[in-house]
Amino acid sequence: EINELHGLHRGTVSVATIESVSRGLMPEALEAFWNSHPGITVDIRVLSSQQVANAVAEGECDLGLVFDVRIPRTVRRIGMVALPLGVVTKAGSHFSGRSDLRISDLAGERVILSDASLTLGAWVEDALGRTFVELNQRARTNSIGLMTDLAKRNLGVVLQTRVGIEQDISEGTLDFVPLRDPKLQLRKLMLLSRAEKEMSHAASALGRLLGSLLDRLREAS
């Protein structure tokens, strides 16, 4: 019992995550976690989705947050939320106020896409290939942060989920309009962890907190 108590007052938890999660959900999770467990050190690595899954599988990280990857057999999926792809645009643009959009609505728009190094890029390419809609591609990048900043300057619209732009939406600088199209599948944001017997009490506590945030994200979506 004494060791268990110490496990929530000191120690280190390692988390691997993708960039979009590191910009919104993760800071919120850490604020809540440190309010309860201020003595726990959390090491955070920002990687691609496949690298995140591999880091958890190889024991380099306790927890991982990824989009749409094949989960290694040695890894547990302890949480998941399905999210729609959408259009991220500057607040007040001609898309603002719409309840949803179709891919065909983007014809002629200047679109900023993620490149194939991100699962988002490969996912969007596959989705667009099934819609037969040609987009005016203004830029490609592997940086979610750059895509967001370009959208804020009204230099184009971005295709992604709402993960990573939550604060921008609440502050009124960006709008997110979901895409509704039968050929577009939902993206799966998954919370991964090492085997239960390999998890410290602190790592398990952070995992439960992250899982509750995914549940809340599901309700909001």
Side-chain angles (χ1 to χ4, degrees):
E1 290 176 349
I2 291 174
N3 286 336
E4 183 173 339
L5 184 63
H6 285 167
L8 293 176
H9 285 275
R10 64 186 183 193
T12 300
V13 179
S14 55
V15 182
T17 185
I18 51 178
E19 183 188 357
S20 58
V21 173
S22 73
R23 294 171 58 87
L25 190 148
M26 185 57 67
E28 181 180 358
L30 291 176
E31 181 178 19
F33 183 70
W34 282 326
N35 281 339
S36 300
H37 315 299
I40 302 296
T41 300
V42 183
D43 292 340
I44 304 149
R45 299 171 60 185
V46 178
L47 304 168
S48 70
S49 282
Q50 192 58 60
Q51 288 173 329
V52 168
N54 293 342
V56 178
E58 294 166 6
E60 298 175 8
C61 292
D62 299 307
L63 298 163
L65 284 150
V66 299
F67 267 117
D68 301 314
V69 295
R70 188 170 189 149
I71 303 174
R73 290 183 301 172
T74 56
V75 171
R76 295 186 301 153
R77 190 183 78 181
I78 59 175
M80 192 273 287
V81 57
L83 300 169
L85 188 71
V87 171
V88 177
T89 183
K90 184 176 181 179
S93 75
H94 57 290
F95 286 143
S96 296
R98 296 277 296 268
S99 59
D100 56 51
L101 292 166
R102 297 179 70 88
I103 287 288
S104 57
D105 294 325
L106 302 181
E109 293 290 328
R110 300 167 299 180
V111 180
I112 299 164
L113 299 172
S114 54
D115 66 23
S117 67
L118 301 178
T119 56
L120 173 61
W123 194 92
V124 169
E125 285 287 345
D126 179 66
L128 293 179
R130 288 184 272 112
T131 62
F132 304 105
V133 175
E134 291 190 13
L135 301 182
N136 180 9
Q137 298 179 18
R138 167 158 273 195
R140 289 178 179 274
T141 177
N142 66 344
S143 170
I144 298 295
L146 176 58
M147 293 167 66
T148 301
D149 289 341
L150 293 175
K152 286 180 181 178
R153 293 172 181 265
N154 204 28
L155 295 175
V157 298
V158 172
L159 299 183
Q160 66 174 74
T161 69
R162 64 186 296 128
V163 175
I165 59 168
E166 297 92 339
Q167 185 170 350
D168 299 295
I169 294 172
S170 65
E171 292 175 350
T173 57
L174 288 175
D175 284 333
F176 175 83
V177 184
L179 285 167
R180 306 295 184 191
D181 195 297
K183 295 181 180 179
L184 289 179
Q185 297 178 351
L186 298 176
R187 300 203 68 202
K188 294 179 181 178
L189 177 61
M190 298 176 285
L191 173 61
L192 311 180
S193 88
R194 301 170 64 181
E196 186 173 5
K197 63 182 180 181
E198 299 175 356
M199 296 283 284
S200 68
H201 296 292
S204 296
L206 181 55
R208 289 191 295 272
L209 176 57
L210 288 168
S212 68
L213 291 181
L214 291 191
D215 291 338
R216 194 181 72 186
L217 188 58
R218 183 187 304 108
E219 295 170 0
S221 298

